[in-house]
Amino acid sequence: MTELLFDSSNDAILIMNLDGSICKINRAAKKLITQKGAAPEPQHILEVLPKISPNQLDEVIRALLFNEIPEQYLYSLDTSNGIVPISVQFSALKDPEKGIAGFSASMRKITATEQVANKAQALLETAPDAMVVINGHGQIVLINAQTEKLFGYLKNELMGKKVEILVPNQFLKNHKNHRDSYIKDPKPRSLGLGHELLGKRKNGSTFPVEISLSPLKTDDDSLFVSAAIRDISYRKRAENKFKGLLESAPDAMVIVNKDGIIQLVNNQVKNIFGYEKAELEGKKVETLIPNKYRNNHANHRHSFFKAPKTRPMGAGLELLGLRKNGEEFPVEISISPLEMDDNILVSAAIRDITERKAAETSLKEFNRQLQSKNKELEQFAYIASHDLQEPLRTITGFANIISEQYSHSFDQIGHRSMKYIIDASNRMSQLIKGLLDYSRLGRNREIKMVDCTKLLREIQNDLVLLLKSTNGTLKYGNLPSVKGNEVELRLLLQNLISNGIKFRRPKEKPHIEVSAEYDKQGWIFAVKDNGIGIPKQYQKRVFLLFQRLHERGEYEGTGIGLAHCQKIVDAHGGQIWLKSDNDQGSTFFFQLPHK
Ligand code: ADP
């Protein structure tokens, strides 16, 4: 009975002793091993399978003795019908008494499909991606070692299973439909463009993947699909980091490829341009540019990609953006190259400067108005003071005549009134002269290098009487030469020095000291006195026109001197300020910039 079974088996079976000598061959085997030129009755297994070396056979026998099951041999048998690919499985023959007494070789022709699979397996192992081959029913028929590693399954846990074992639950519903429609129209394609694909590991966790599919047809026309699966967790993480950075930028960020196609934008784009992200990604960047600049922009883009480097765009030009609602608006753009996956992209940071432009424009307008008002005011002061001088001179002249020629007819009240008239008109004349000088300042100015030591020497000469009468001293060291208008600088220093003398403490000799210190921005001059000082709350006010802190009876003056000083320093592009402690005197500083 066993004999009968043995002989009628479809598999070719040979039975050997432990030395490899053949004991029995069944019918199928005899049929299969009809070899070209071989002996009709082979004695030894190596005669049947001459491509197996004696050493290899020894190893097989040793494995069998150790109760191991050797791997299947893939063998090409040279038969009279040509080469026949077969698989050979060796197994031990156990005898209850003698133990392992011999072994069998069971040989099977490999079908066309199996042949493809075997070839494919070898190929699959060389692929860097996880490779999964499924048949028309969606069953996994082949995987490579990378698949085991990536998904955490062993080969035998996947073979024959539906491919959906690797698909996360949320995608299961559609997956079978996708698979069916792919099999109806199979061609190589990448999955997952535009949406996230995930794979599912044995432990249930998921990870982002990129998949490409290709159909495989065997000789017998059965269809298989191979899927190359790549874990893109690392890339996703980098992408996410990059997106985070992009979102943290205060400006609208637009990333464009060489062809001007927008690859990525951040959320700020919506605020500035009014487009949703999805409306822009994949579109031409020229969507964001007014029509009239579009052609030129494409040319600029090409030349940027020829020599890409970070720079502001359109230096010195007014750049305009185009909102979704058609509105054009001023922008500032800086662009830099971005290397990504062998691809050069350009990232543009775009800032809406509508508000800044508006502020700039209104500031300009305000300045213009201010300048024109100032001019008008100066003109007015000039004309008024000039025209006032004439009638005043008449009043002073006649008052003097009356006081000189008719004083004898005056009583005491008449004398006193006359004196008031003359004092007041003298004073008014001083005021008018001061105003006139003030409004003349800044006209026809000659700018040259002015030697300040020399200037001080001249001022000292002019003030010699005043210094003598007050017992005052004026000290100065070596002062620099500065660029400026000599007449104005003389007036400036003279005003400050004579104020120092004028506002001295009662019963104290005035002492004035002028010095200058070099600073990066410009020379800083100091005029220091030991006078009455200026309370903090008035230190700004004294520079205004007609602002005085004292009664006329106390200290003479018009309140124009420091306003003059301020105007002169302004005209030189500098600054003037003071420091003062009531009992320490005052120091007036002014800075004259080098430029
Ligand atoms: P004027 O000297 O004609 O009064 P200024 O414009 O020169 O006008 O000065 C304005 C006011 O500032 C003065 O009236 C005085 O009160 C105060 N002031 C100016 N210089 C000094 C100084 N060196 N010490 C104290 N007070 C001063």
Side-chain angles (χ1 to χ4, degrees):
M1 179 71 181
T2 333
E3 203 70 20
L4 210 71
L5 266 179
F6 175 66
D7 230 22
S8 63
S9 164
N10 273 337
D11 282 348
I13 302 171
L14 294 101
I15 292 181
M16 274 74 58
N17 293 318
L18 281 175
D19 60 2
S21 57
I22 299 173
C23 309
K24 255 183 200 167
I25 297 186
N26 76 350
R27 199 170 318 146
K30 274 188 196 143
K31 205 168 142 207
L32 183 65
I33 63 174
T34 332
Q35 293 181 55
K36 276 196 264 173
E41 291 288 333
Q43 301 300 310
H44 197 275
I45 182 70
L46 290 183
E47 288 171 40
V48 179
L49 304 170
K51 288 173 198 160
I52 292 182
S53 71
N55 277 349
Q56 279 173 316
L57 183 66
D58 280 350
E59 245 168 62
V60 168
I61 296 170
R62 196 178 317 135
L64 292 171
L65 288 171
F66 274 95
N67 262 341
E68 285 169 15
I69 302 167
E71 291 249 328
Q72 259 190 9
Y73 263 95
L74 299 179
Y75 196 87
S76 42
L77 203 59
D78 216 357
T79 71
S80 45
N81 295 329
I83 302 267
V84 177
I86 57 167
S87 68
V88 184
Q89 180 69 62
F90 294 105
S91 324
L93 290 177
K94 288 178 195 155
D95 184 301
E97 274 155 35
K98 291 190 218 158
I100 294 172
F103 65 102
S104 69
S106 141
M107 300 188 284
R108 209 151 55 80
K109 269 198 217 171
I110 300 175
T111 61
T113 311
E114 275 176 314
Q115 279 178 54
V116 171
N118 289 335
K119 250 190 221 146
Q121 184 72 54
L123 269 176
L124 288 194
E125 294 304 342
T126 64
D129 297 327
M131 301 291 296
V132 174
V133 178
I134 61 167
N135 64 17
H137 307 290
Q139 280 173 297
I140 298 174
V141 296
L142 271 180
I143 63 163
N144 62 359
Q146 280 84 308
T147 306
E148 292 178 285
K149 217 157 73 191
L150 188 58
F151 287 90
Y153 285 102
L154 291 175
K155 195 170 185 167
N156 58 15
E157 292 175 303
L158 286 178
M159 299 304 268
K161 296 279 161 46
K162 289 268 172 166
V163 67
E164 278 76 14
I165 191 171
L166 305 176
V167 176
N169 301 347
Q170 67 262 39
F171 302 123
L172 283 180
K173 213 170 87 205
N174 288 328
H175 194 266
K176 193 177 164 329
N177 295 341
H178 286 315
R179 175 154 60 74
D180 288 346
S181 58
Y182 183 82
I183 284 176
K184 266 182 214 138
D185 178 21
K187 48 180 179 265
R189 70 187 198 88
S190 298
L191 295 186
L193 280 184
H195 59 271
E196 291 237 310
L197 287 183
L198 296 176
K200 184 174 80 177
R201 296 194 187 88
K202 185 178 175 184
N203 66 12
S205 61
T206 59
F207 58 100
V209 291
E210 200 173 70
I211 300 181
S212 38
L213 298 180
S214 7
L216 296 172
K217 274 222 162 124
T218 55
D219 291 348
D220 57 6
D221 240 14
S222 8
L223 176 73
F224 295 87
V225 180
S226 90
I229 305 161
R230 181 169 298 178
D231 179 359
I232 55 167
S233 311
Y234 176 77
R235 197 169 81 200
K236 278 277 160 201
R237 269 202 298 276
E239 251 176 52
N240 286 341
K241 234 184 236 168
F242 180 67
K243 279 190 184 154
L245 270 178
L246 213 62
E247 289 305 340
S248 69
D251 297 325
M253 301 289 297
V254 176
I255 293 178
V256 173
N257 73 4
K258 210 155 86 237
D259 304 319
I261 305 294
I262 299 174
Q263 307 292 301
L264 203 64
V265 300
N266 67 359
N267 281 322
Q268 276 76 292
V269 165
K270 163 107 172 98
N271 303 336
I272 296 184
F273 287 95
Y275 285 102
E276 297 295 339
K277 276 181 168 186
E279 287 178 289
L280 285 177
E281 288 172 357
K283 295 273 160 52
K284 278 250 169 197
V285 66
E286 278 78 12
T287 315
L288 304 174
I289 295 169
N291 222 342
K292 50 187 180 262
Y293 302 121
R294 284 186 188 163
N295 279 344
N296 259 347
H297 185 265
N299 296 338
H300 286 316
R301 179 154 50 70
H302 292 313
S303 52
F304 177 83
F305 276 103
K306 273 186 202 146
K309 55 174 189 274
T310 303
R311 61 178 174 83
M313 190 159 133
L317 294 178
E318 296 257 303
L319 297 177
L320 292 178
L322 180 67
R323 294 193 220 277
K324 187 177 176 182
N325 64 10
E327 192 189 335
E328 294 181 10
F329 64 106
V331 289
E332 198 172 71
I333 303 181
S334 91
I335 45 183
S336 38
L338 202 70
E339 257 178 76
M340 270 198 151
D341 300 344
D342 303 334
N343 218 342
I344 295 230
L345 302 177
V346 56
S347 92
I350 305 166
R351 187 168 294 179
D352 180 350
I353 55 168
T354 310
E355 279 178 19
R356 197 175 81 197
K357 278 271 162 194
E360 268 172 26
T361 315
S362 68
L363 196 70
K364 263 191 204 148
E365 176 57 14
F366 181 71
N367 256 337
R368 199 192 55 73
Q369 283 180 5
L370 204 68
Q371 270 176 5
S372 120
K373 276 268 161 336
N374 261 340
K375 272 233 164 66
E376 257 172 51
L377 216 66
E378 278 174 19
Q379 200 79 4
F380 169 77
Y382 179 75
I383 291 169
S385 43
H386 187 266
D387 290 1
L388 282 174
Q389 257 181 340
E390 229 8 75
L392 186 64
R393 252 187 232 130
T394 313
I395 294 172
T396 327
F398 280 103
N400 281 331
I401 291 173
I402 292 172
S403 128
E404 278 163 22
Q405 296 186 12
Y406 300 94
S407 62
H408 56 273
S409 14
F410 288 172
D411 61 4
Q412 218 178 352
I413 297 179
H415 275 296
R416 208 182 306 142
S417 307
M418 209 59 225
K419 189 176 174 310
Y420 282 143
I421 293 173
I422 290 171
D423 278 359
S425 41
N426 278 340
R427 195 175 140 60
M428 186 157 174
S429 156
Q430 270 175 16
L431 274 172
I432 289 174
K433 191 179 162 303
L435 256 187
L436 209 55
D437 288 346
Y438 180 79
S439 56
R440 268 194 198 123
L441 266 184
R443 295 171 187 224
N444 309 323
R445 304 169 67 227
E446 189 203 353
I447 301 291
K448 57 172 190 182
M449 288 309 284
V450 180
D451 177 352
C452 293
T453 318
K454 188 166 153 248
L455 204 61
L456 251 275
R457 211 175 299 131
E458 290 167 6
I459 293 172
Q460 193 169 31
N461 283 340
D462 291 347
L463 295 177
V464 75
L465 284 180
L466 182 64
L467 286 166
K468 237 188 198 141
S469 67
T470 55
N471 271 327
T473 47
L474 169 63
K475 243 177 78 177
Y476 55 91
N478 241 351
L479 298 174
S481 289
V482 296
K483 212 169 182 186
N485 177 274
E486 185 170 348
V487 180
E488 291 175 8
L489 291 179
R490 180 197 309 274
L491 202 61
L492 169 64
L493 282 159
Q494 191 166 321
N495 269 340
L496 296 177
I497 295 168
S498 43
N499 271 354
I501 301 172
K502 180 163 67 173
F503 296 105
R504 62 186 178 275
R505 286 166 203 277
K507 297 181 204 144
E508 205 167 310
K509 291 177 197 166
H511 178 69
I512 319 294
E513 207 174 310
V514 182
S515 57
E517 212 173 87
Y518 183 86
D519 177 80
K520 250 206 294 206
Q521 311 289 330
W523 283 101
I524 297 177
F525 283 77
V527 180
K528 181 175 165 39
D529 64 46
N530 58 342
I532 56 174
I534 301 174
K536 268 239 150 40
Q537 67 268 35
Y538 302 125
Q539 290 183 357
K540 283 231 160 66
R541 219 174 82 183
V542 289
F543 292 104
L544 300 177
L545 200 55
F546 300 132
Q547 295 295 325
R548 312 196 63 241
L549 307 180
H550 306 278
E551 290 296 322
R552 214 172 346 115
E554 253 181 301
Y555 294 98
E556 275 301 322
T558 55
I560 296 178
L562 286 180
H564 243 129
C565 294
Q566 174 84 61
K567 196 169 169 186
I568 292 169
V569 173
D570 284 349
H572 282 79
Q575 279 174 324
I576 185 165
W577 67 99
L578 72 93
K579 269 192 191 144
S580 173
D581 285 324
N582 276 356
D583 40 349
Q584 301 284 325
S586 322
T587 308
F588 282 80
F589 297 93
F590 61 89
Q591 184 240 38
L592 299 177
H594 297 306
K595 271 193 206 145

